[in-house]
Structures are given as C-alpha cells and as structure tokens.
C-alpha cells in the first residue's frame, strides 16, 4: 500500500524530509489542532523507558559541493550531499524544467561558452534532473553534447543517456547509445554494462541481459557488485524474481561479495513475495557477513513484516534500527504504520503517526493514505474520512491513491451513495478515473446484488475510453456465478476470446465455484479438465472450491489426488 517506499536503485539517494524547526503546529488524525510544543530531547517509549534523541541530527545533510567530480552509477555522490548549482546551472535547470521543446533547450545550450565550467554545470544539472526523474530533459542535454556541442563526450555522458533510455523502457535507444559509445572509442565501464543489463531486464529481455553479462566478462571486466545489483534490480522490475534469486546465488558462487544494496534488494524481493521469513534469513546472513545494513535495509525488512501484518516483528526491527544509531525517516515510520494497519490495529498506526510528528519528521502523502486505509480496514469510515479531510487542511492534495483507500473504506460497508460521492469528488478534482476504480464499483454493485448498475458500469467501460481487462470480467463472472445466474456467467466467459482476453486461474476458479455452490461435482471436474487443457494450472483457491463441491469421501480423495499430482509443492491445498 505504500506509495513512497525507500528505494535503493536510484543513482542518487533522495533526501529524506525531516522538520528542523523547534516549534511547529500539527494536527491529529481527527483534524483537531494540537497545541504548539517545543521538541524535547527525552521521551518515554512504549515500554516506559526513557529514550533521547538529538534534534540537531538530520537523516540527510543538504550541503557541500562536489562540482567537477563527475557522475558514477555504482556509488553516486556522498550520502545525501548533492552538487551545489552555480547561477548559470540554476538558469539552465529552471529553463529545462519549464517543459520546453528539445530544439529550444538546444538553442539555449548553443549560447553557452565551451568551457570547463559549462561542462561542470551541465552534469550538475543532470544530477538534479536525475533526482527529479526527468528523463526526457536528461536525454535532451546528453544528445546536445553528442550531436551539436564542441565537447568530446566521455563515458559518463553515454552512461547517463543509457540510464535515461532504460528508465523510459526504450531499450533499443539504450542499445544504440551503447554502440555509439563503442564507435566513439570510449571504453565502457562496469557502470555501462550495469545500466544496459538493467534496461534489458526491465523490458523483459533476459537473454539480451545475459549476453551483455557474458560480453562484459569477455572484455576482462570482473563481475562486480554494481553489475550484479543492476542485474538483480532489473529482473525484479521485469517481473522475474526467481531469476533474480538465481543471479544472487551465482554472485556468491562467483566469489563476488554482496553489498548492502544487494542484501536490501533481496529483502525487498522476499518481502514483496510475502516471504518475511526469507527476508529475515537474508538479513541474518548479511549480519553474519559483517555487512552493515543501512536505513533502507531496515525499512525493507520492516516492510516485509508489515505486508503480512506482523506488527510485533516490524516493531522489533524498527527498534533495532534505532539501536544501530540510525534515525527513522518518513519511509521507516510509514512502513511501521503499514504493519499496524495490516494487523487490524488502526489506533496503533495513529500512534506511530503522532510519534513521527513529535520526532520532527513531517508526514507525507503516503503517511496519510496509510492512516486512512488503517481506519477503513477496521471499519471506522468516519475516522478515515476525518484523516482524509485533515490531509487537505494541511495543504496536501489527495491523489488517486488517497481517494481509492477512502473508496475502499466505504465499499467494505456497502455505502453505495458515499462511494458514488467519492467518484464525483475525483471527477471534480480533475483525477481521471481508470479501470481499477471502475472495477471497484463493479465489485461493490455485484456484492450488493445491484446487477443493473453493474451492467451500466460495464457499458460505460465498453463504450468509453476505459479498458475492460480480465479483472473486470472476473468480477462479473464471479458475482453472477455466486448469485446463481449461471447462463449470464457462461455468456461472459464465452465472450472473452472476442475481447482479446485469456481466462486466468481466477476466471476458471470462479466458474467452478458457481457449480460447486450447487454441489454439481461432475460439472466442476469437467471445467477443471478444460482449465488444464487450456494450460492454466490450479492454485490453492481452486483446490478449496473443488473440495467444497465434494459430497462424499471418495470424491474428496479423488480431487485431492489430482491436485497433489499436479502441484506437489502447493502448500495451500487442504489436508484430508
């Protein structure tokens, strides 16, 4: 649920927002203003013990100059310290950020003197643009250097360009830039290969990524942690976590020592897969190898436990982070809030929210979204809306995510009118409704048996600019099937090929579930066989639905034997 998760794949570490004023005015989750207070250096934690903190200590410094040091993908600049912009660099940055066309940017750059100061200014601007993820602007500046300037581009320029194209999923352009680098007789570095591998992996071209990896070795470059990290990160972004895990094992076999970033990536991988026990195992391995975790590592582990609602474990890690001398930032607090939210303790999340404010760390949009969701999950819609309104009062504009968590809160209670009001608010706010929002309304109408409205939404989706995806039809098939409208369910199922959609495991399981509810065991098995013939394999949900259709022990044994034969490692199948 988090929007602002602490990432480790950025070239530059984004500054964390902390308040450094001695006095501030905050609002609690109900919108009631709290009195001003002066931050003390001592507070009492949840166990009743005194703890202290240094309010002068910030999570990230914002000072110092590194002009002329260049740019490096693997290491970047000193933690949180970014190059200071000269007056000329600031003017370039301001102009570029106006969103002007490439020709206009090139026209401005053409007027700059060909000096070392200009060269430094261009890369200082590139640093700032990289922090803001403004890839198009980076591409414009780097292409100007390559095409129209009198500067001789170095490998850093090519690396920045490969990275920008990779971030925009333009792998062919990234590949072309690499070839230009070779033609210019620049020597590619490990960063070059790391960026190209990541670009291929992100696009799903795993064979090309492996070829680049092999090419790098043929040139005699060792496979460093920088390259392996980029490979793992790219595979994760490309949706291939199993291959990412395989590359991690290969990294260790090759004698390449995993870095803090490597372990953090693996903790994130297991956390997102709902395997917090594996995330903890990686963390323990990291500690045994004397590799020091950073704030991102701890936050990743807190998130791993948070996703499973293991708030006590998440809190233990949070405390370990503080004991290690690391000051929690907004991402860390958000992760802990999420743990309490998933565990069903909204007031625990609210307590962390208040602690974050007390410690001088300003909540961000994700903090408010998590708190709205925490109350919504627990069925406290009024409190959820109070936090939503409080967010607007403190000057934070609600995003699509903000509206969706509030919509979810009222949807759980079946408040159709309130959900429709939220949709109207979204429209008035200029937020464009998407398929996910309309699917949520479809599900709500279907759950309440308002099939007329459900069909109206489907008509809007089919005739309008919204794309009805497989999730849309899964909701319709499931709701009609559970309501006993078998004929309509089958009509929708037969319609899928004409829509260019392929039934997934949810689609097939919903069909089986409709017949299972009527105890039509033979029909359930027929659909199950169709499912297998179509190349779709069952999951734990399918097994439970099939078992529910059984009316005697023989049928139960038959279903269990079939499922276990197909998925011997499926742990979600109910034991007989």
């Amino acid at each position: 649920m988090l929007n602002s998760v602490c990432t480790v794949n950025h070239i530059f570490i984004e500054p964390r927002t902390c308040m450094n004023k001695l006095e501030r005015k905050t609002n609690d989750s109900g919108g009631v203003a709290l009195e001003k207070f002066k931050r003390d250096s001592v507070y009492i934690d949840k166990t009743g013990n005194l703890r202290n903190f240094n309010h002068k200590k910030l999570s990230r410094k914002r000072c110092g100059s590194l002009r002329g040091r260049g740019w490096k993908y693997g290491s970047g600049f000193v933690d949180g310290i970014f190059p200071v912009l000269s007056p000329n660099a600031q003017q370039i940055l301001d102009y570029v950020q106006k969103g002007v066309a490439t020709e206009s940017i090139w026209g401005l750059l053409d007027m700059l003197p060909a000096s070392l100061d200009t060269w430094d200014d261009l890369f200082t601007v590139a640093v700032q643009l990289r922090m803001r993820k403004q890839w198009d602007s980076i591409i414009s500046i780097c292409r100007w250097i390559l095409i129209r300037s009198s500067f001789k581009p170095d490998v850093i320029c090519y690396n920045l360009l490969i990275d920008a194209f990779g971030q925009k999923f333009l792998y062919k352009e990234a590949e072309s830039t690499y070839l230009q680098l070779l033609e210019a007789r620049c020597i590619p570095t490990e960063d070059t290969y790391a960026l190209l591998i990541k670009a291929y992996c992100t696009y799903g071209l795993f064979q090309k990524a492996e070829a680049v990896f092999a090419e790098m070795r043929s040139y005699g470059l060792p496979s460093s942690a920088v390259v392996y990290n980029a490979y793992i990160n790219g595979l994760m972004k490309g949706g291939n976590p199993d291959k990412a895990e395989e590359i991690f094992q290969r990294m260790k076999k090759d004698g390449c020592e995993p870095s803090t970033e490597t372990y953090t990536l693996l903790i994130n991988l297991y956390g997102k897969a709902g395997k917090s026990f594996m995330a903890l195992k990686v963390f323990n391995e990291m500690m045994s190898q004397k590799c020091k975790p950073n704030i991102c590592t701890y936050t990743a582990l807190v998130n791993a436990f948070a996703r499973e609602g293991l708030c006590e474990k998440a809190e233990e890690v949070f405390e370990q982070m503080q004991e290690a001398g690391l000051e929690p930032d907004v991402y860390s607090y958000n992760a802990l809030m999420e743990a309490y939210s998933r565990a069903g303790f909204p007031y625990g999340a609210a307590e962390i929210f208040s602690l974050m404010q007390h410690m001088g760390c300003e909540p961000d949009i994700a903090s408010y979204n998590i708190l709205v969701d925490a109350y919504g999950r627990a069925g406290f819609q009024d409190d959820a809306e109070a936090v939503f309104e409080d967010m607007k009062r403190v000057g934070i504009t609600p995003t699509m995510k903000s509206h969706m968590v509030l919509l979810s809160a009222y949807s759980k209670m079946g408040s159709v009118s309130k959900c429709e009001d939220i949709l109207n608010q979204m429209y008035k706010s200029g937020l464009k409704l998407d398929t996910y929002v309309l699917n949520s309304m479809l599900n709500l109408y279907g759950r309440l048996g308002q099939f007329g409205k459900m069909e109206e939404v489907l008509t809007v989706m089919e005739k309008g600019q919204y794309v009805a995806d497989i999730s849309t039809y899964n909701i319709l098939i499931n709701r009609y099937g559970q309501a006993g409208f078998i004929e309509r369910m089958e009509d929708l199922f037969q319609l899928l090929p004409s829509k260019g959609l392929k039934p997934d495991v949810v689609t097939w399981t919903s069909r089986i579930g409709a017949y299972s509810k009527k105890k039509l065991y033979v029909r359930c098995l027929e659909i199950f066989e169709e499912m297998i013939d179509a190349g779709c394999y069952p999951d734990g949900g399918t097994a439970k639905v099939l078992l529910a259709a059984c009316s005697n022990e023989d049928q139960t044994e038959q279903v269990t034997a079939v499922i276990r034969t197909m998925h011997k490692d499926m742990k979600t199948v109910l034991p007989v």
Side-chain angles (χ1 to χ4, degrees), residues 61-65 80-82 84:
K61 298 177 182 178
R62 294 186 181 182
C63 59
S65 172
I81 304 178
F82 305 108
V84 173

Side-chain angles (χ1 to χ4, degrees), residues 386-436:
V387 176
F388 184 85
E389 294 300 324
D390 189 46
M391 173 170 48
K392 294 191 287 186
R393 277 196 293 273
V394 298
I396 297 178
T397 303
T399 60
M400 174 69 78
K401 180 76 172 181
S402 310
H403 286 89
M404 282 306 303
V405 290
L406 187 61
L407 181 70
S408 177
Y410 282 105
S411 177
K412 283 183 174 67
M413 295 300 293
S415 303
V416 174
S417 60
K418 197 66 182 179
C419 289
E420 291 172 343
D421 288 343
I422 294 171
L423 286 182
N424 290 330
Q425 286 180 34
M426 294 169 70
Y427 180 78
K428 291 177 182 177
S429 300
L431 294 172
K432 185 179 179 181
L433 303 183
D434 58 13
T435 302
Y436 183 79

